[in-house]
Amino acid sequence: MKKIGVLTSGGDSQGMNSAIRSVVRTGIARGYEIVGIKRGYNGLMEKDFIPLGSKDVSDKLYRGGTFLQSARSEEFRTEEGQKKGANNLKEEGIEHLVVIGGDGSYRGAAKLNDLGIKTYGLPGTIDNDLPLTDYTIGFDTTLNVVTDAIGNLRDTMSSHERVSVIEVMGRNSGDIALHAGIASGVDAILVPEQPWDIKEISYKLKDRFNKGKTHSIVMVAEGAGNGEEIAHMIKDHCGLDTRATILGHIQRGGTPSAFDRVFTSRMGHEVIRLIDNDIYGVALGIENNDITYHRFEEIFEAHQPPNTKLYSIFGDLV
Ligand code: F6P
């Protein structure tokens, strides 16, 4: 019986468990044996393998995090480590490997593919920063977590006539800030993909307070700047009482949204179809609501264009 390995790597994201569940259940239905690899590529180095049956993924669909756990492995970054990883899989009879993670995890998967393991990438990151997919796993859930948090902040900021500067994750991408900012009706969004002028923003905020606004919210992507520093700058420019909130890892938790559950269930299913058809060395995504796949090289060469259209929509809404 053919064996399929599955691991989660890099920062966890809501929906990883649902993706594993889909690979396991669909794989078993097609007659494959599924092996879970614990703690990402670290577990691959140490042969930390567990057999996964249908019951092992019960109750996982709606849980955040990853029950296989995740890590960023230093050893696996080396050529030696990659060879060891491929050998460990071969010794175990694992021919196919599904890697759920972000860009760094995909690079590792591509190396294993070159070393004779048939690999597949699923876009597991809240950052939405992978090309050739409209969404990544966990991004939608994170937007809901951020939007809920902003609702709470708005209550207290309004009572005290304050400006709230909220720093969100995203690494070099401003997508979390942009989407959650629009969903929350914030007053300014600072993203790395667009230039911003803090003096101009501060004057606009002051003007709104002068016209009767009781609070303002400024959304900052971590790649655009530091929330605390930006809060200080705003206070210095316009004198408004300003507080910074760094949302941090709370954004990576919580039960996956219905979108993330369905999206990952579809991708797990598609991976098994690709295995059945002997297609490998590819990463999956969702484009125009279709589950698609591209060769790893294509993903590495592709450029993720900034979402200028959405940014300009936001500009007309404030
Ligand atoms: O890539 C996901 C992410 O949450 C980024 O948004 C953030 O910059 C980073 O991981 C945080 O990493 P760590 O969990 O190692 O602090």
Side-chain angles (χ1 to χ4, degrees), residues 2 28-30 43 46 50 55 60 65 86 106 116 127 134 144 152 194 202 205 235 242 257 260 302-303 306:
K2 272 191 188 172
I28 289 172
R30 301 283 180 282
E46 293 156 21
I50 50 164
K55 269 195 89 175
K60 299 290 187 281
Y106 275 14
D127 299 337
D134 296 339
N144 289 317
N152 292 357
Q194 299 286 339
S202 305
L205 296 177
K235 191 168 171 40
T242 307
S257 66
D260 276 321
H303 170 66

Side-chain angles (χ1 to χ4, degrees), residues 11-12 72 125-127 129 169-171 176 222 249 252:
D12 64 348
R72 297 186 174 104
T125 167
I126 63 164
D127 299 337
D129 61 350
M169 284 186 169
R171 225 175 264 277
I176 295 175
E222 66 177 347
H249 288 84
R252 289 221 306 248

Side-chain angles (χ1 to χ4, degrees), residues 167-218:
E167 183 192 305
V168 293
M169 284 186 169
R171 225 175 264 277
N172 300 316
S173 164
D175 268 23
I176 295 175
L178 182 55
H179 288 248
I182 290 177
S184 308
V186 304
D187 302 275
I189 303 177
L190 278 54
V191 292
E193 297 90 346
Q194 299 286 339
W196 44 272
D197 180 343
I198 203 64
K199 218 169 167 181
E200 199 183 302
I201 292 170
S202 305
Y203 292 155
K204 274 194 189 153
L205 296 177
K206 181 75 181 171
D207 187 47
R208 284 193 198 137
F209 269 82
N210 290 341
K211 287 179 177 148
K213 237 194 140 180
T214 54
H215 69 278
S216 274
I217 297 176
V218 176

Side-chain angles (χ1 to χ4, degrees), residues 253-265:
T255 183
S257 66
F259 175 85
D260 276 321
R261 294 182 201 185
V262 175
F263 161 48
T264 47
S265 299

